[in-house]
Amino acid sequence: MTSHLQGDDAAAAAPQQPLGLPAEQRESAPPSSSYVYAIGRAGAGLDTAVPRLTGLRDGRVRTASADGLTALVSSVPADAFSEEGMKAQLENLTELEEIARTHHRVVEAAHTRTTVLPMRLATVYLDDARVRSMLRERGAEFDALLSRLEGHAELGVKVYADPRAAAADPAPATSDGPAPAAPPVSPGRAYLQQRRARRQTQRDAYRAAGAVADEVRDRAAALARDRVAHRPQQGELAAGAGENIANEAYLVPMDRLREFHRALTVLADGVPGVRIEVTGPWAPYSFATATATPPAESRRA
Amino acid sequence: MSDSLAGRMGPSSGPSPYGGQGSSANLADILERVLDKGVVIAGDIQINLLDIELLTIKLRLLVASVDKAKEMGIDWWEHDPSLSSRARPPQQVPAGQPPETGRDPLADENRQLRAELAELRAAIGTPQGSDGHRTHHEEEQ
C-alpha cells in the first residue's frame, strides 16, 4: 500500500506495517535509540569498564551521567528496538538469547568493578538526553538502592530432587550377595513390588530434597543479608537432572561469598537423590527492584 | 569498591560452572534474571510487563512455572490447542454480545463474569472482592 502522505502524517495514518518493509527515513525520527544496561555511581569504576565493552549489535558501550549517577548505554537501531521491533525480537528464541546474553555480559563486566543496578531487559530511551533526565528524576531512589547493595553480590541456590539418581545409588542392602531366595512370587506380583519400590524411592527423594531446602534456608539466613525465592525452573531450558524444587537468590556480602558457597554445597553431600547447585556471583538482579512508575504518556520513536 | 570478583569464589559445583564473564552461565538462569528481575523503569519504548510474562510462558522459557502463572491469572495456554491437551474450543459468546476485541473471547467472558459477580455481590450485600481475582469459567459451570 503506498501512502501519499508525508512525514509524520504518514506514520500516524499508516496502519501497523509488518517489519522489514523499507521504512522511509523521516527527518524527525532518530536513527537510533539508547539502550540502558545498568546504573551505578559516576566514577572511575564505570569509566574504566566502558572502553572495552561491546553492547547489542556490536555497538560501543558509553556512559550517560547526571547528578552523580552513570548509566551504561549503547545505541541500537530505532526500528529494531521500537515496540513492535522488540516484540518480534523477543519472540524469537535465538534473538532473545543473543540480547539476554549481551545484556548480561555488559552488566556483569560493570559489576566486577563497582556496585551497579542491572536494568530489566529492553529498557530503551529515545536518546541519551532522555536517559539523563531519567537519572535526575529517579536519582534519590537509585542512590538508596546502590547504598543498600554496596559491597554485596547475588548468589543463586537451586535444590534438585533426582529420584533416578537415588535409585542408581541403592540403599545399603544386605551384603551377602543376592537376596536370600524368598518364596517365588508371580511375575505380576513381582512387577507390583518393583513399582512400589520405585514410588517409595521417589517419595523419599522428594522428602529428602525438601529437608535439604529447609536446611539451605537456615544456613543461608546466617550468612546472607536478604533472600528472594524464585519460581522453580521447569521446561525445556531447565538444565540439570531431576526436578528443581527450590530456586532462591541470596544477597551475600563480598567477603562471605566463598564461605557461603562452601557452607551450602555440603548440605547435599551423602543425601542420595538430592543435588544443590550454587550459581554466581551475579550482579544483584533479584534485589534491584525499583518501584515501577506508571508509564508516562507513551512516546514512540 | 574496586577489587574484582574474580578469584573471590571457589570453583562452582554443578554442571553450570560460573565463568567469571557470565558467558557460561546457563540461559535459564540468565533469562530468569534479565526478564523477570532487575530495575523495572518506564523507558520511552515500552513493552508492557504482561507481554514479557506471556512471552516467557509462550516460549516455555520456564521463567514462570505454570503454577505461578496460574496464580497470576494467566491461563490462556490451557485453551490453546497447540500448548495443551486440555484445551477446548473457545466459548461461544452469546448472540447479541459481540466480543469487543474478537481476539480474546476469554477476556471478554471474564469481563462479563466479573460484571455478573459484582451484581450478585451488590444484591446480597457482600463487599467487592479485589480486582486481582479472575473468575475461572470452569468453576462457573
Side-chain angles (χ1 to χ4, degrees):
Chain A
M1 179 194 96
T2 50
S3 159
H4 298 292
L5 293 165
Q6 299 280 302
D8 282 345
D9 291 336
Q16 288 288 355
Q17 297 203 337
L19 283 172
L21 292 185
E24 302 204 349
Q25 275 295 334
R26 299 198 305 277
E27 292 292 308
S28 60
S32 68
S33 304
S34 297
Y35 183 105
V36 186
Y37 300 89
I39 291 169
R41 294 196 199 286
L46 290 181
D47 293 346
T48 52
V50 159
R52 292 177 300 131
L53 282 178
T54 306
L56 292 166
R57 308 282 178 112
D58 295 329
R60 297 298 303 275
V61 174
R62 61 182 181 272
T63 57
S65 305
D67 290 358
L69 293 170
T70 290
L72 294 184
V73 174
S74 78
S75 293
V76 291
D79 56 354
F81 285 80
S82 65
E83 187 174 354
E84 287 305 310
M86 215 141 47
K87 240 187 215 170
Q89 286 194 86
L90 299 185
E91 295 264 6
N92 173 325
L93 184 52
T94 313
E95 290 177 359
L96 174 63
E97 174 164 8
E98 173 66 20
I99 295 175
R101 285 194 183 277
T102 305
H103 180 101
H104 175 60
R105 202 181 57 235
V106 173
V107 167
E108 201 62 29
H111 173 65
T112 58
R113 297 177 178 272
T114 183
T115 307
V116 290
L117 307 174
M119 297 294 109
R120 182 209 276 260
L121 194 80
T123 304
V124 181
Y125 288 85
L126 294 178
D127 54 33
D128 288 15
R130 289 279 308 134
V131 174
R132 282 190 287 269
S133 69
M134 174 271 289
L135 290 177
R136 277 189 289 267
E137 270 166 46
R138 315 284 299 257
E141 189 182 346
F142 293 149
D143 193 65
L145 267 173
L146 283 164
S147 298
R148 194 176 95 83
L149 298 174
E150 193 79 57
H152 290 74
E154 172 176 330
L155 289 179
V157 182
K158 286 182 288 196
V159 179
Y160 290 89
D162 192 357
R164 270 182 310 192
D169 189 358
T174 45
S175 53
D176 45 8
V185 293
S186 66
R189 190 169 296 220
Y191 169 76
L192 287 176
Q193 277 176 358
Q194 269 175 12
R195 277 201 41 175
R196 200 173 306 128
R198 249 205 313 274
R199 264 207 309 272
Q200 187 61 46
T201 308
Q202 206 157 24
R203 264 200 303 270
D204 289 349
Y206 279 91
R207 200 174 298 129
V212 168
D214 290 344
E215 274 182 80
V216 163
R217 277 187 280 273
D218 290 349
R219 288 297 287 280
L223 297 167
R225 170 154 177 206
D226 201 353
R227 164 182 172 268
V228 169
H230 290 211
R231 302 155 196 169
Q233 292 185 352
Q234 49 181 228
E236 57 190 69
L237 288 183
E243 186 177 344
N244 181 212
I245 63 149
N247 179 15
E248 290 162 353
Y250 291 93
L251 186 65
V252 183
M254 292 286 187
D255 55 3
R256 285 213 188 135
L257 294 177
R258 198 183 291 272
E259 185 188 350
F260 183 97
H261 194 275
R262 252 201 308 262
L264 268 73
T265 45
V266 301
L267 291 177
D269 286 356
V271 187
V274 181
R275 204 157 51 75
I276 291 185
E277 197 181 287
V278 178
T279 61
W282 301 85
Y285 282 99
S286 307
F287 304 93
T289 43
T291 46
T293 45
E297 79 286 356
S298 200
R299 304 176 47 157
R300 302 280 161 81
Chain B
M1 200 203 70
S2 59
D3 45 353
S4 145
L5 275 176
R8 285 180 172 276
M9 289 282 292
S12 173
S13 67
S16 63
Y18 173 72
Q21 295 313 303
S23 54
S24 61
N26 103 40
L27 180 61
D29 287 342
I30 292 181
L31 282 178
E32 183 168 68
R33 284 172 172 81
V34 301
L35 278 176
D36 218 25
K37 310 286 175 225
V39 175
V40 180
I41 47 175
D44 291 334
I45 315 292
Q46 288 266 306
I47 293 196
N48 79 50
L49 308 189
L50 188 66
D51 280 348
I52 290 190
E53 284 289 0
L54 290 179
L55 192 79
T56 55
I57 296 167
K58 195 168 182 177
L59 291 170
R60 304 215 199 136
L61 289 182
L62 61 83
V63 174
S65 75
V66 170
D67 287 347
K68 179 69 185 182
K70 269 190 178 168
E71 270 173 46
M72 299 181 330
I74 302 173
D75 64 351
W76 53 259
W77 68 88
E78 293 206 339
H79 311 277
D80 181 335
S82 68
L83 292 175
S84 167
S85 53
R86 279 181 297 167
R88 296 172 305 165
Q91 298 291 295
Q92 290 302 309
V93 182
Q97 290 260 344
E100 281 168 62
T101 63
R103 276 195 338 200
D104 194 349
L106 270 183
D108 294 328
E109 189 180 23
N110 250 311
R111 242 193 310 279
Q112 225 178 299
L113 287 168
R114 275 214 203 96
E116 279 173 33
L117 202 61
E119 274 174 40
L120 289 170
R121 281 209 178 98
I124 59 175
T126 320
Q128 279 292 347
S130 89
D131 215 30
H133 283 297
R134 311 266 311 242
T135 317
H136 285 283
H137 58 272
E138 289 100 320
E139 293 163 8
E140 290 289 313
Q141 291 174 344

